[in-house]
Amino acid sequence: MLQKILFKDKEAKNHLENDEYADAAKVLLRHQRLDWKMLADGYEFLSSQKIKEFEFDGFTIKLQFNPGRIHSTSAQVDEKSINNRKCFLCNENRPPEQKAIQYKKDYLIICNPFPILPEHFTIPHISHLPQKIKNSFPMMLSLSKDLSKYYNVFYNGPACGASAPDHMHFQSGTAGFFPIENELSFLKNEFGATLLDDIGLAVTAVDDGLRKFILIEGKKGRDVQYAFDTFYKVYKMISKEDEEPMMNIVSTFKEKKGWKVILFLRSKHRPSCYYKDGRDKILHSPASTDLSGICVIPREEDFEKITKEDIVKIFQEVSLGKEQFEFMKSGLERRFE
Ligand SMILES: [Zn+2]
C-alpha cells in the first residue's frame, strides 16, 4: 500500500538519501503542482486572494480571504461526525494523485491541496492514531530541524483547530510567512515575562493583549523537550481531565540559534460569533496560522465587514483567561527555579 503512494523521483531520492527533507519536499510540491489538478487549482486560487492588514502596537495581523478553506473552517469535529466520515488523512482515502515522502519510520509528507502558506504541507502519521502532542513533541522538534531550510512546522490540538482530531498530523509551510516569526523578539521584549533564562535555554510568557503564549527558545533538543514537558505538566493541571490541554504550536529552527517554539494557550475552540446568525455571524475558527498572524476568512462577506475590534475580541475570547495565565506563569517559574 505504502509503495503505491510514495513519490518516486530521482532528484527527491537523492535528497532523501542525504536527509535533505526540505529539498525533497520542495521537489515533491513542484511535481505535484504539475501532476495534480486539484493542488494546482488550490495554489492558483491562493495567489488571487485578497489580503487585509491590521496594525497593532508593534505587530501585524493579516486577513486572508480564502474560500478554499471553508470545509476546514466549518469542519464538524465532534465524535459522531468524525466517526461518520472517511478519514481524509488515511492512506486508503486520499486521492490517488497525492504522493508522499516518507519521514523517518512513521510519518508522511504530503502536499496540502487547500494551501494557506505559499508552500504548504500536511505531515500525517502513517497510522490512524488520535491527535496528541505529548509523545509526539520529539517528532515535532525533529521535523522542524529537518525541514528548517525552507519551512516551519505547526500543530493544532484535537480540540482547538485540528480538522482531523482522530488522525495524528502536523503541518509545515514557508518559513517566515507568519508575521509572528519576525516579531518574536519585539513581542518578547515588549510584552514578555521571563520564566527561565539559562545558558542555551529560555522560557518566556507573552501576553500581547490579543494572544497568550509561552515561548521556548533552546539550542539543544533535550533542553527544549525538558521545558515542554514541564510546561505540559503545569498546563494539564488546569485542563479537562480526559482531554489534551488546548494549544496551537509553531516551531522554527535555525542552525546557530536552535529552536523557537511558540505554545499558544487556548480556552476554547471557536468564538461566539462563529455560532451567531445573520449580520453578527463571522465564520472564523482560529488555529495556529491565525494566531501567528494570518487569519483565514473563508466567506467574502466576513472578510469585508470584519474590523480590528472583531479580531481583538475573537483572539481574547479563544485565548486562555488572565487568571489561568497567571497560574501558568507562577507554576512554571517555581518549577524552573
Ligand atoms: Zn486516518
Side-chain angles (χ1 to χ4, degrees):
M1 181 72 207
L2 189 60
Q3 280 310 314
K4 252 191 354 205
I5 57 166
L6 285 183
F7 178 50
K8 303 266 175 24
D9 173 82
K10 225 176 148 187
E11 195 187 349
K13 193 171 165 251
N14 284 340
H15 285 307
L16 289 174
E17 276 165 6
N18 295 311
D19 289 341
E20 294 161 356
Y21 291 99
D23 290 287
K26 213 179 228 324
V27 175
L28 172 72
L29 179 60
R30 200 175 73 220
H31 279 256
Q32 291 271 267
R33 285 178 78 156
L34 297 172
D35 303 341
W36 182 18
K37 187 162 185 318
M38 189 185 182
L39 183 79
D41 289 350
Y43 277 99
E44 178 70 36
F45 214 48
L46 181 68
S47 65
S48 61
Q49 290 327 326
K50 289 184 275 186
I51 300 283
K52 210 155 116 175
E53 271 189 45
F54 292 131
E55 288 301 326
F56 289 86
D57 200 2
F59 60 94
T60 307
I61 302 288
K62 293 183 187 179
L63 269 61
Q64 181 190 83
F65 170 53
N66 192 338
R69 298 295 303 182
I70 187 80
H71 300 296
S72 181
T73 299
S74 52
Q76 298 289 334
V77 287
D78 57 283
E79 212 176 318
K80 197 170 160 223
S81 311
I82 289 293
N83 289 336
N84 284 332
R85 64 106 170 91
K86 273 189 175 173
C87 173
F88 58 91
L89 292 180
C90 274
N91 291 339
E92 59 271 29
N93 301 329
R94 289 203 310 267
E97 297 90 340
Q98 190 174 38
K99 298 298 173 196
I101 282 174
Q102 189 167 359
Y103 180 76
K104 307 259 159 118
K105 201 163 88 344
D106 294 328
Y107 281 83
L108 296 173
I109 302 176
I110 56 178
C111 298
N112 189 324
F114 306 107
I116 297 169
L117 296 90
E119 297 182 71
H120 193 160
F121 302 93
T122 306
I123 307 176
H125 194 284
I126 281 178
S127 312
H128 186 80
L129 296 168
Q131 181 84 330
K132 259 188 199 144
I133 193 61
K134 198 165 182 270
N135 299 324
S136 325
F137 190 72
M139 189 49 73
M140 186 166 191
L141 293 184
S142 146
L143 270 166
S144 152
K145 184 176 179 187
D146 286 338
L147 292 173
S148 64
K149 186 171 177 189
Y150 308 121
Y151 309 114
N152 58 26
V153 175
F154 49 105
Y155 167 89
N156 291 320
C160 58
S163 38
D166 53 340
H167 194 131
M168 179 63 212
H169 66 286
F170 299 102
Q171 295 183 69
S172 175
T174 316
F177 181 70
F178 293 146
I180 201 165
E181 291 176 62
N182 308 304
E183 296 163 345
L184 269 183
S185 16
F186 170 82
L187 292 172
K188 200 177 138 183
N189 292 335
E190 196 71 15
F191 307 108
T194 305
L195 306 177
L196 173 71
D197 192 2
D198 218 335
I199 303 160
L201 181 67
V203 182
T204 315
V206 180
D207 174 3
D208 64 13
L210 272 74
R211 312 164 277 201
K212 295 190 184 70
F213 61 88
I214 302 294
L215 171 67
I216 303 173
E217 297 168 283
K219 286 188 180 160
K220 289 190 182 136
R222 63 159 193 271
D223 290 345
V224 178
Q225 183 68 48
Y226 154 75
F228 177 80
D229 290 340
T230 311
F231 154 81
Y232 194 95
K233 253 179 240 149
V234 179
Y235 200 16
K236 189 78 194 98
M237 292 164 76
I238 51 170
S239 75
K240 288 185 194 151
E241 203 178 320
D242 51 349
E243 276 177 20
E244 175 173 301
M246 275 193 250
M247 67 184 101
N248 304 101
I249 313 176
V250 177
S251 172
T252 61
F253 177 87
K254 285 205 174 95
E255 209 49 64
K256 282 199 180 112
K257 296 187 170 170
W259 285 269
K260 285 184 197 290
V261 181
I262 310 168
L263 302 151
F264 292 106
L265 311 183
R266 300 285 302 267
S267 67
K268 60 157 121 166
H269 179 206
R270 284 165 173 160
S272 52
C273 60
Y274 180 95
Y275 301 99
K276 289 206 169 125
D277 298 312
R279 269 206 64 79
D280 294 336
K281 185 178 185 76
I282 297 174
L283 203 69
H284 181 210
S285 188
S288 296
T289 58
D290 309 80
L291 294 163
S292 302
I294 302 288
C295 291
V296 177
I297 313 291
R299 299 198 312 174
E300 194 161 19
E301 51 187 302
D302 297 331
F303 179 81
E304 297 302 339
K305 78 177 172 206
I306 197 165
T307 62
K308 197 172 161 177
E309 288 67 39
D310 290 328
I311 292 295
V312 176
K313 229 172 115 186
I314 290 171
F315 275 40
Q316 286 178 346
E317 195 183 335
V318 301
S319 293
L320 193 70
K322 266 209 153 56
E323 216 171 287
Q324 287 159 313
F325 192 56
E326 288 309 316
F327 174 87
M328 286 299 297
K329 275 160 66 177
S330 54
L332 284 172
E333 214 166 15
R334 243 194 338 266
R335 280 169 179 80
F336 285 139
E337 258 172 12

